[in-house]
């Protein structure tokens, strides 16, 4: 895992699914549809093979197709590969490239067929250029790690082969039931070697649509920095019947005027708008448009409150003595104390600072791995976790782990756990109250309000004679330097931090749980304040070595998915009981006004072809009138039923691919 997927806590400018989509008022031809959207960051390149940045992937995922993509139910379906098979031992994946797959220039002129060798060329290029996303496949594909490290300089020894023009084959080091979900990522996408060589260093230049070829549903027509990005439908695309939007125009938006999207929706220039419930204008808007305010689905990003169990820096602190520092350290190493924090924190009030009282519960998350992220043996992952969690103690018997409700907040439990902690800590010489520093971006109003809400609920529940949350209001750069961008644990200057979250790379619980393994996890410092791989004493004291063992054992189960997920559920249950990482909210689940036909978007919790934030334009349909909340709810209910049946059929189909 790389920290590129660690996400800063969302502020008021965060776009949810469906924000700022629009039909053009001046269509060039009758029936032509234009979809307008906004973007906030210009891409520094168009190199889908090497980028780890969302600003590039948000563009290129709409113009470049890989082997597979997601349908609207989250199933992986054919894209460049019209069919595929996997060997019985799970090590060899063979894909048949469709005959009608073509490369086109930005002007829509046919350049060449898409061939199997294009995938080989793409992976070699990505590896040679040290792609930021190489970690996704470096340990998966046979021989790739050795080639990437320079131990073997012959790429033909790597486990990817073009068996003929239409057949590409991958050989893995060990079975990965989730391998296909990685094929939607840019690092595994194809590139035409002749074109690549002809462009040289000018390949994939940020503002030059002609610097790449296109095999996807759209052609990139222009990019003007801090202004616009424009697309046009690829008229010769193999699956053009599923591309309903003719043109796409992205307009740069700095996110400052949060009332403008709704105003533009009302005057007819936008067909969807992100709403901001804490803005001054929202109350009036709610009265006027109440029937049309709908809430997007929750995504798979999980924001958390992390606990620094080995703090070393105190530049930003309210502590006035070494005794206070020592007392806080000892308290955070005590599981009952951490559970008191988890149970005493009113996360609904916290979430309402961003999503308003009506929408607060709609973004709540209770476990690090989303409860519906994967399923096996007829159970969601959250159900598996609950079965394991109840064995840890009576405090977990009545806890609901489902999304969109607060299953943790319980003042009585918090007080009971704190009483146990206080007795044990006083015996260690700890002095109360415990002072907990929480840093926050002082310029982000909703973030400050969220931390203040957490302070209020914890101090009200546990008493200021026991716990005091000291809010450290910092400049944004200072905040990032002591949280998200800290290079070592020594730079993590906080006790509790709600400044980060995690979004998954592929469809397996390991994409979450591996990142905080004390042995090799690359984000232990971001969440827990210590550097992995250094036999940290604090990590030992809180039992993280046991967690490491659980996660490793789960990863070693490569053939039985049910056993694998159950083992990961054991690790998640341990993590939940430890209260080291306290989940708060998802990224989406936000209110919008929209003229998008509900649930026509591709869907997936992971990968580049099914995300709904930001949008993927293929499959999307528009309607003339604003969607009502009732329409949206009915469409969602229908989609949920269809999704369950579709997913079952997809699972049955998987067996047919084993050969």
């Amino acid at each position: 895992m790389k920290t590129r997927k660690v996400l800063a806590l969302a502020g008021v400018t965060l776009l949810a699914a469906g924000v700022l989509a629009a039909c053009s008022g001046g269509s060039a031809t009758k029936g032509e549809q234009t979809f307008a959207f906004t973007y906030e960051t210009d891409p520094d390149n168009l190199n889908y093979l090497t980028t780890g940045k969302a600003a590039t992937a948000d563009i290129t995922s709409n113009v470049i197709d890989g082997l597979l993509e997601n349908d609207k139910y989250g199933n992986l379906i054919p894209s460049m590969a019209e069919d595929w098979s996997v060997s019985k031992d799970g090590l060899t994946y063979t894909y048949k490239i469709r005959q009608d797959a073509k490369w086109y220039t930005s002007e829509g002129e046919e350049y060449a067929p898409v061939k199997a060798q294009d995938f080989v060329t793409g992976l070699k290029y990505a590896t040679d250029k040290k792609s930021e996303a190489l970690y996704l496949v470096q340990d998966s594909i046979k021989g790739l790690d050795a080639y990437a490290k320079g131990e073997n300089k012959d790429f033909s020894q790597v486990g990817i082969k073009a068996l003929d023009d239409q057949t590409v084959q991958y050989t893995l080091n060990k079975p990965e039931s989730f391998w296909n979900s990685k094929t939607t990522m840019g690092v595994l996408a194809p590139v035409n070697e002749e074109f690549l060589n002809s462009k040289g260093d000018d390949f994939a230049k940020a503002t030059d649509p002609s610097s790449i070829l296109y095999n996807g549903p759209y052609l990139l027509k222009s990019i003007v920095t801090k202004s616009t990005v424009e697309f046009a439908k690829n008229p010769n695309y193999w699956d053009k019947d599923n591309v309903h939007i003719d043109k796409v125009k992205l307009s740069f938006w700095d996110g400052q005027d949060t009332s403008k999207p709704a105003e533009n929706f009302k005057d007819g220039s936008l067909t969807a708008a992100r709403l901001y419930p804490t803005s001054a204008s929202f109350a009036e808007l709610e009265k006027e448009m109440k029937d049309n305010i709908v809430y997007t689905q929750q995504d798979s990003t999980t924001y958390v409150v992390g606990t620094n169990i080995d703090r070393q820096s105190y530049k930003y602190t309210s502590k006035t003595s070494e005794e206070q520092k020592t007392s806080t350290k000892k308290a955070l190493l005590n599981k009952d104390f951490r559970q008191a924090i988890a149970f005493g924190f009113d996360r609904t009030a916290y979430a309402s600072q961003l999503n308003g009282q009506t929408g607060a519960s709609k973004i709540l998350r209770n476990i690090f791995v989303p409860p519906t992220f994967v399923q096996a043996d007829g159970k969601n992952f959250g159900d598996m976790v609950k079965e394991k969690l109840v064995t840890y103690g009576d405090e977990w018997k009545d806890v609901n782990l489902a999304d969109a409700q607060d299953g943790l907040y319980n003042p009585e439990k918090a007080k009971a756990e704190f009483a146990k902690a206080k007795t044990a800590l006083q015996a260690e010489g700890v002095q109360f109250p415990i002072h907990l520093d929480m840093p926050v971006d002082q310029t982000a109003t909703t973030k400050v309000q969220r931390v203040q809400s957490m302070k209020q609920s914890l101090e009200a529940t546990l008493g200021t004679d026991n716990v005091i949350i000291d809010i450290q209001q910092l400049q944004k750069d200072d905040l990032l330097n002591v949280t998200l961008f800290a290079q070592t644990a020594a730079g993590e200057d906080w006790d509790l931090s709600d400044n980060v979250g995690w979004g998954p790379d592929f469809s397996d619980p390991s994409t979450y749980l591996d990142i905080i393994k004390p042995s090799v996890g690359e984000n232990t410092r971001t969440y827990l304040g210590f550097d992995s791989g250094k036999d940290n004493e604090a990590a030992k004291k809180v039992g993280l070595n046991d967690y490491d063992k659980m996660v490793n054992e789960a990863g070693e189960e490569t053939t039985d998915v049910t056993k694998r997920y159950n083992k990961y559920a054991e690790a998640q249950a341990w993590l939940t009981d430890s209260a080291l990482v306290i989940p708060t909210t998802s990224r989406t689940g936000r209110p919008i006004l929209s003229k998008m036909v509900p649930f026509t978007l591709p869907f997936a919790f992971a990968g580049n072809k099914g995300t709904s934030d930001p949008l993927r334009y293929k499959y999307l349909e528009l309607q003339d009138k604003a969607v009502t909340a009732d329409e949206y709810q009915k469409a969602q209910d229908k989609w949920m039923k269809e999704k369950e049946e579709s997913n079952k059929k997809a699972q049955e189909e998987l067996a047919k691919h084993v050969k």
Side-chain angles (χ1 to χ4, degrees):
M1 296 292 172
K2 297 294 183 183
T3 53
R4 75 168 185 89
K5 288 303 293 279
V6 179
L7 302 166
L9 180 66
V12 296
T13 62
L14 181 67
L15 298 180
V19 181
L20 305 184
C23 287
S24 170
S27 297
T29 60
K30 186 177 180 180
E32 182 179 84
Q33 288 187 311
T34 297
F35 183 90
F37 197 67
T38 62
Y39 75 100
E40 297 182 58
T41 305
D42 285 302
D44 56 2
N45 61 61
L46 297 175
N47 201 328
Y48 55 91
L49 294 162
T50 62
T51 190
K53 298 179 177 64
T56 295
D58 293 345
I59 293 173
T60 58
S61 293
N62 283 296
V63 301
I64 301 294
D65 280 352
L67 292 165
L68 303 175
E69 63 184 38
N70 292 97
D71 67 11
K72 67 178 182 178
Y73 302 114
N75 302 312
L76 285 163
I77 59 175
S79 186
M80 288 295 95
E82 62 182 356
D83 197 11
W84 61 276
S85 64
V86 57
S87 60
K88 290 183 179 180
D89 61 6
L91 295 177
T92 304
Y93 282 75
T94 305
Y95 301 89
K96 300 297 292 185
I97 309 303
R98 62 179 62 255
Q99 295 278 356
D100 51 353
K102 309 287 185 182
W103 288 112
Y104 300 92
T105 68
S106 60
E107 297 302 315
E109 297 175 350
E110 184 177 329
Y111 185 90
V114 175
K115 296 182 178 181
Q117 183 60 38
D118 296 345
F119 290 87
V120 180
T121 301
L123 184 59
K124 184 179 186 301
Y125 175 87
T127 309
D128 290 342
K129 296 294 185 179
K130 302 186 185 305
S131 171
E132 294 171 339
L134 191 63
Y135 73 95
L136 277 168
V137 295
Q138 185 167 335
D139 293 328
S140 299
I141 299 173
K142 187 176 181 180
L144 186 58
D145 183 58
Y147 179 81
K149 293 176 177 176
E151 297 169 1
N152 169 36
K153 299 185 183 301
D154 182 4
F155 192 77
S156 68
Q157 299 301 308
V158 175
I160 179 172
K161 300 286 185 295
L163 303 186
D164 55 46
D165 282 352
Q166 306 305 129
T167 311
V168 62
Q169 187 175 83
Y170 297 81
T171 302
L172 308 185
N173 287 314
K174 60 182 180 180
E176 291 185 3
S177 59
F178 47 92
W179 166 258
N180 272 336
S181 67
K182 293 183 178 182
T183 67
T184 68
M185 302 297 281
V187 70
L188 289 179
V191 68
N192 180 277
E193 186 172 11
E194 179 184 1
F195 181 84
L196 181 67
N197 292 337
S198 72
K199 288 295 182 181
D201 292 340
D202 288 333
F203 175 70
K205 291 179 65 176
T207 58
D208 184 4
S210 68
S211 65
I212 60 172
L213 291 177
Y214 303 81
N215 69 341
Y218 287 90
L219 307 172
L220 183 60
K221 304 304 291 185
S222 69
I223 297 182
V224 180
T225 302
K226 292 191 184 314
S227 180
T228 58
V229 179
E230 297 188 37
F231 304 80
K233 179 178 178 178
N234 183 349
N236 298 308
Y237 180 57
W238 71 272
D239 194 24
K240 60 180 179 292
D241 289 345
N242 280 314
V243 184
H244 308 295
I245 309 298
D246 298 287
K247 295 181 180 179
V248 175
K249 183 175 182 178
L250 309 181
S251 299
F252 182 77
W253 184 52
D254 61 11
Q256 292 297 308
D257 185 356
T258 57
S259 64
K260 187 175 181 180
E263 291 301 318
N264 287 345
F265 180 89
K266 289 192 295 180
D267 69 23
S269 59
L270 296 177
T271 55
R274 165 78 167 93
L275 306 180
Y276 298 84
T278 58
S279 67
S281 61
F282 184 75
E284 189 64 31
L285 177 69
E286 190 173 30
K287 291 179 182 178
E288 182 181 354
M289 306 290 292
K290 185 176 181 180
D291 291 341
N292 298 108
I293 295 176
V294 300
Y295 287 81
T296 59
Q297 294 184 95
Q298 286 184 274
D299 67 341
S300 53
T301 295
T302 302
Y303 290 107
V304 304
V305 172
T307 57
N308 192 336
I309 59 175
D310 192 23
R311 185 176 178 182
Q312 301 171 51
S313 300
Y314 293 91
K315 180 179 180 181
Y316 304 108
T317 185
S318 297
K319 296 178 178 62
T320 58
S321 67
E322 290 300 317
E323 184 179 61
Q324 286 185 353
K325 295 176 184 177
T326 300
S327 292
T328 298
K329 277 193 172 184
K330 288 182 178 179
L332 289 176
L333 290 174
N334 183 286
K335 184 175 79 169
D336 293 324
F337 179 83
R338 297 192 305 272
Q339 285 189 352
I341 299 296
F343 288 129
F345 167 29
D346 185 347
R347 294 178 306 143
T348 303
Y350 172 91
S352 71
Q353 307 307 313
L354 174 66
N355 229 33
Q357 292 185 352
T358 301
S361 65
K362 298 181 186 297
I363 57 174
L364 293 181
R365 175 153 292 147
N366 295 281
I367 53 177
F368 192 35
V369 181
T372 59
F373 186 63
V374 293
Q375 299 80 31
D377 197 25
K379 299 178 183 176
N380 283 330
F381 188 74
D383 297 328
M384 300 180 200
V385 175
K386 180 64 182 292
E387 291 176 358
K388 317 294 182 185
L389 189 58
V390 293
T391 66
Y392 280 92
D394 291 342
E395 65 268 32
W396 299 112
K397 285 185 178 179
D398 59 349
V399 169
N400 183 355
L401 300 180
D403 278 341
Q405 55 83 44
D406 192 343
L408 297 181
Y409 180 52
N410 189 310
E412 295 308 311
K413 286 184 182 179
K415 292 173 182 177
E417 295 304 322
F418 184 82
K420 291 189 289 183
K422 190 169 186 178
T423 299
L425 291 170
Q426 284 179 325
E428 296 180 40
V430 168
Q431 297 297 306
F432 291 84
I434 301 298
H435 284 265
L436 297 166
D437 292 314
M438 281 196 75
V440 66
D441 177 359
Q442 65 185 19
T443 63
T445 303
T446 60
K447 292 182 182 180
V448 174
Q449 291 171 339
R450 275 176 272 185
V451 174
Q452 289 173 336
S453 173
M454 183 174 180
K455 171 183 172 69
Q456 182 179 14
S457 62
L458 282 173
E459 291 180 357
T461 298
L462 302 178
T464 53
D465 55 331
N466 291 316
V467 172
I468 293 177
I469 305 297
D470 294 314
I471 299 173
Q472 307 298 323
Q473 295 198 35
L474 311 181
Q475 292 289 340
K476 184 173 183 176
D477 287 346
D478 291 333
L479 173 80
L480 291 173
N481 287 336
V482 299
T483 55
L484 188 64
F485 294 161
Q487 296 300 304
T488 66
E492 300 285 351
D493 193 1
W494 49 273
D495 295 315
L496 298 178
S497 174
D498 70 339
N499 289 286
V500 294
W502 185 257
D505 292 312
F506 48 87
S507 301
D508 187 70
S510 61
T511 190
Y512 293 89
L513 300 177
D514 277 355
I515 69 169
I516 49 176
K517 288 163 56 176
S519 58
V520 296
E522 294 194 22
N523 293 294
T524 54
R525 66 175 178 272
T526 309
Y527 291 88
L528 299 169
F530 69 90
D531 291 316
S532 66
K534 297 186 177 180
D535 205 24
N536 184 269
E537 191 61 33
K540 288 182 182 178
K541 287 183 179 179
V542 299
L544 274 164
N545 286 350
D546 293 332
Y547 171 81
D548 197 292
K549 183 179 179 181
M550 290 179 185
V551 175
N552 287 338
E553 288 181 354
E556 290 169 2
E557 178 53 68
T558 60
T559 57
D560 189 320
V561 172
T562 299
K563 288 182 179 179
R564 179 182 178 89
Y565 290 172
N566 270 291
K567 287 180 180 291
Y568 277 122
E570 290 177 4
Q572 173 66 80
W574 185 96
L575 187 63
T576 298
D577 180 67
S578 76
L580 287 164
V581 175
I582 304 170
T584 58
T585 55
S586 56
R587 192 180 187 189
T588 61
R590 310 293 170 80
I592 63 169
L593 298 171
S594 173
K595 290 183 181 178
M596 296 184 294
V597 178
F599 301 95
T600 56
L601 288 163
F603 168 80
F605 277 143
N608 273 352
K609 286 294 185 177
T611 178
S612 58
D613 184 13
L615 298 175
R616 302 295 176 251
Y617 315 123
K618 184 179 177 181
Y619 300 110
L620 177 60
E621 299 177 33
L622 304 179
Q623 62 184 56
D624 294 331
K625 296 182 179 180
V627 177
T628 67
D630 184 57
E631 287 174 341
Y632 189 90
Q633 186 59 56
K634 288 179 179 177
Q636 185 173 33
D637 292 342
K638 180 175 181 288
W639 178 82
M640 289 293 291
K641 292 178 181 178
E642 292 174 349
K643 180 178 182 296
E644 183 177 0
E645 184 61 31
S646 180
N647 292 166
K648 285 182 180 179
K649 290 181 179 178
Q651 287 297 315
E652 293 170 358
E653 284 292 319
L654 282 176
K656 299 178 182 179
H657 292 281
V658 180
K659 298 178 180 178

